[in-house]
C-alpha cells in the first residue's frame, strides 16, 4: 500500500528527501558514466550536478540527526503517492544525450514541487527553512544546469558532441535503413518483373511483388536484429535496428509494386519502371549524403546492380 503524502510524519518526510537526493545523485552519476565516451562535456556537467545532490543530501542528514537521531526509516519516493513513475532510462545503453537532459529537467521540477509541499507540512522552523531553501535551489537548478552547460559545452565541445551524435544516428538509423531500402528495392525486382512478364497480368504481378516485399522485410528484419546486440558496436537496440531494416526493406519493394494496381498491364509496367529509377536515385543520394560516397559513384553502383537484377527478372519472365 502506498502512503499518502499528507499522512507522512516529519521524520518520514526527511527520510524520503534523503533517499530522493541519494537516488538523484546516483542517476546523475549513471548519466555521466554512460555519456563519458561519446559526450565527455555533458558527462562532466552531470558530474557537477551529482556533486550538488550530495551537498543537499548531507544537509538533510544533518537536520535529521539533529531532530531524530541516526536511524532513518526505510521509505522512498516509490512508497508515496503522487510521485512520477520513472522509466529507468539511465540503464539504457547507448544512452541518448537528449533523453538524459530531458530526464534531468523532469527530476529537478519534481524535486522543487516536493520540497515546497514538504515545507508546508513541517512545523519545525529550522526544518521548514531548510526545505524552503532546497526548493529555491531546485528552482534555480535549471539555471544552474544551463550555467554548467555553458561552462562545459564550449563551441568546440558542442561541435565534437554533435559529430558523435551524427555518428550514432548513422550507425543506429541510417545504415540499417539504407541496408533495408537497398535490399528491398533491388532484390524484389527479379521476382516482380519475372511474374509481370510471365503472366502479363497486373494483379498477379502485384501479389508476387507484395509477397516478395513483405517476405524480404521479415527476413531482413530478423536477420539484422540477430546480427549483434549493439553493446560493443554502438549500433543501438537490435530490435529497433531490425524494425527499421525490415520496414525499409518492405517499403523498398512496395514502391515499385504498387503501380501494378493499375489495371492496364503496359501502363502499370511503365510506371513501375519509373518508380524503380526514382528509388535508385534516392538510394544513391542517401549514400552520397550520409556515407560520403561521391554521387556519381554511388549512382553507378546502385543503378548497375538494379539494372542487372531487372534484366534477370525480364529474361526469366519472358522465357
Amino acid at each position: 500500500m502506498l502512503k499518502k503524502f499528507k499522512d507522512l510524519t516529519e521524520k518520514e518526510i526527511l527520510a524520503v528527501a534523503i533517499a530522493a537526493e541519494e537516488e538523484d545523485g546516483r542517476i546523475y552519476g549513471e548519466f555521466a558514466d554512460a555519456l563519458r565516451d561519446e559526450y565527455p562535456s555533458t558527462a562532466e556537467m552531470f558530474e557537477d550536478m551529482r556533486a550538488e545532490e550530495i551537498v543537499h543530501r548531507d544537509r538533510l542528514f544533518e537536520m535529521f540527526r539533529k531532530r531524530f537521531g541516526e536511524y532513518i526509516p526505510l521509505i522512498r519516493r516509490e512508497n508515496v503517492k503522487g510521485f512520477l513513475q520513472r522509466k529507468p532510462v539511465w540503464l539504457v545503453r547507448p544512452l541518448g544525450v537528449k533523453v538524459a537532459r530531458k530526464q534531468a529537467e523532469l527530476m529537478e521540477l519534481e524535486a522543487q514541487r516536493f520540497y515546497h509541499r514538504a515545507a508546508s507540512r513541517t512545523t519545525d522552523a529550522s526544518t521548514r527553512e531548510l526545505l524552503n531553501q532546497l526548493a529555491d535551489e531546485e528552482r534555480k537548478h535549471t539555471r544552474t544546469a544551463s550555467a554548467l552547460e555553458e561552462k562545459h559545452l564550449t563551441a568546440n565541445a558542442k561541435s565534437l558532441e554533435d559529430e558523435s551524435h551524427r555518428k550514432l544516428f548513422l550507425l543506429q538509423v541510417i545504415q540499417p535503413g539504407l541496408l533495408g531500402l537497398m535490399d528491398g528495392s533491388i532484390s524484389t525486382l527479379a521476382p516482380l518483373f519475372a511474374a509481370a512478364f510471365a503472366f502479363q497480368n497486373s494483379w498477379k504481378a502485384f501479389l508476387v511483388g507484395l509477397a516478395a516485399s513483405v517476405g524480404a522485410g521479415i527476413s531482413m528484419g530478423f536477420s539484422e536484429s540477430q546480427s549483434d546486440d549493439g553493446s560493443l558496436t554502438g549500433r543501438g537496440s537490435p530490435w529497433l535496428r531490425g524494425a527499421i531494416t525490415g520496414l525499409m526493406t518492405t517499403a523498398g519493394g512496395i514502391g515499385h509494386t504498387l503501380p501494378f494496381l493499375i489495371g492496364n498491364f503496359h501502363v502499370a509496367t511503365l510506371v513501375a519502371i519509373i518508380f524503380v529509377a526514382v528509388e535508385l536515385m534516392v538510394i544513391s543520394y542517401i549514400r552520397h549524403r550520409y556515407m560520403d560516397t561521391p554521387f556519381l559513384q554511388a549512382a553507378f553502383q546502385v543503378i548497375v546492380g538494379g539494372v542487372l537484377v531487372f534484366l534477370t527478372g525480364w529474361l526469366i519472365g519472358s522465357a
Side-chain angles (χ1 to χ4, degrees):
M1 292 289 292
L2 298 181
K3 294 197 70 169
K4 295 180 180 178
F5 185 82
K6 66 182 182 66
D7 295 332
L8 295 179
T9 64
E10 293 187 25
K11 185 177 183 179
E12 290 173 330
I13 287 174
L14 283 176
V16 170
I18 290 169
E21 292 291 352
E22 286 184 334
E23 182 182 340
D24 287 355
R26 285 196 297 270
I27 291 173
Y28 289 142
E30 290 285 347
F31 285 164
D33 182 63
L35 298 171
R36 188 165 285 113
D37 291 339
E38 298 292 340
Y39 305 98
S41 297
T42 298
E44 189 65 26
M45 181 187 79
F46 279 120
E47 284 288 0
D48 284 359
M49 294 174 72
R50 182 181 68 85
E52 289 196 17
E53 299 303 308
I54 291 174
V55 173
H56 291 178
R57 181 205 63 187
D58 290 345
R59 291 165 66 186
L60 288 164
F61 262 136
E62 183 180 352
M63 178 59 67
F64 189 94
R65 289 192 183 101
K66 184 192 301 184
R67 294 192 59 195
F68 304 110
E70 294 293 330
Y71 172 71
I72 301 176
L74 184 60
I75 181 169
R76 297 183 174 87
R77 277 183 292 211
E78 57 264 30
N79 306 128
V80 182
K81 287 184 178 179
F83 283 100
L84 296 174
Q85 294 295 317
R86 294 180 177 177
K87 295 181 179 179
V89 296
W90 49 90
L91 298 179
V92 176
R93 296 295 186 276
L95 176 68
V97 64
K98 292 182 180 179
V99 172
R101 289 176 183 166
K102 183 64 176 178
Q103 181 68 28
E105 181 182 347
L106 293 174
M107 289 163 60
E108 291 157 14
L109 290 173
E110 184 179 53
Q112 177 190 336
R113 289 195 300 267
F114 167 73
Y115 284 125
H116 275 306
R117 290 188 62 195
S120 69
R121 292 270 298 115
T122 304
T123 57
D124 179 73
S126 58
T127 303
R128 185 167 59 251
E129 180 183 9
L130 173 61
L131 294 173
N132 278 324
Q133 287 175 357
L134 292 176
D136 289 340
E137 289 176 19
E138 293 293 349
R139 178 175 56 81
K140 296 173 183 176
H141 207 174
T142 302
R143 290 199 294 269
T144 302
S146 298
L148 289 171
E149 189 167 346
E150 290 177 4
K151 170 186 172 184
H152 295 296
L153 297 186
T154 62
N156 183 56
K158 286 182 179 179
S159 176
L160 292 174
E161 293 198 353
D162 287 343
E163 178 62 21
S164 294
H165 193 70
R166 190 182 80 90
K167 289 179 180 177
L168 287 176
F169 181 69
L170 286 176
L171 282 172
Q172 298 172 10
V173 178
I174 297 298
Q175 282 190 357
L178 181 60
L179 174 67
L181 188 62
M182 289 181 63
D183 185 86
S185 296
I186 295 176
S187 69
T188 57
L189 288 177
L192 173 66
F193 285 100
F197 289 113
F199 298 118
Q200 300 282 306
N201 183 287
S202 292
W203 180 245
K204 290 182 179 180
F206 172 78
L207 293 178
V208 171
L210 181 63
S213 301
V214 175
I218 294 172
S219 175
M220 285 292 292
F222 272 103
S223 176
E224 179 62 25
S225 69
Q226 300 302 311
S227 61
D228 71 75
D229 63 5
S231 59
L232 296 178
T233 60
R235 298 177 69 209
S237 166
W239 294 109
L240 176 60
R241 201 172 63 245
I244 292 172
T245 303
L247 289 173
M248 292 306 294
T249 301
T250 301
I254 287 293
H256 47 253
T257 297
L258 289 176
F260 284 98
L261 288 173
I262 300 172
N264 186 299
F265 169 75
H266 297 290
V267 173
T269 302
L270 178 61
V271 174
I273 292 173
I274 294 173
F275 267 65
V276 170
V278 171
E279 289 169 2
L280 296 180
M281 294 305 294
V282 168
I283 293 171
S284 301
Y285 172 76
I286 294 174
R287 292 190 64 190
H288 167 68
R289 173 70 175 79
Y290 292 101
M291 302 302 174
D292 298 324
T293 305
F295 182 77
L296 291 179
Q297 178 183 337
F300 177 78
Q301 293 171 346
V302 173
I303 291 172
V304 167
V307 169
L308 290 175
V309 175
F310 169 80
L311 290 175
T312 300
W314 174 67
L315 290 172
I316 293 174
S318 303

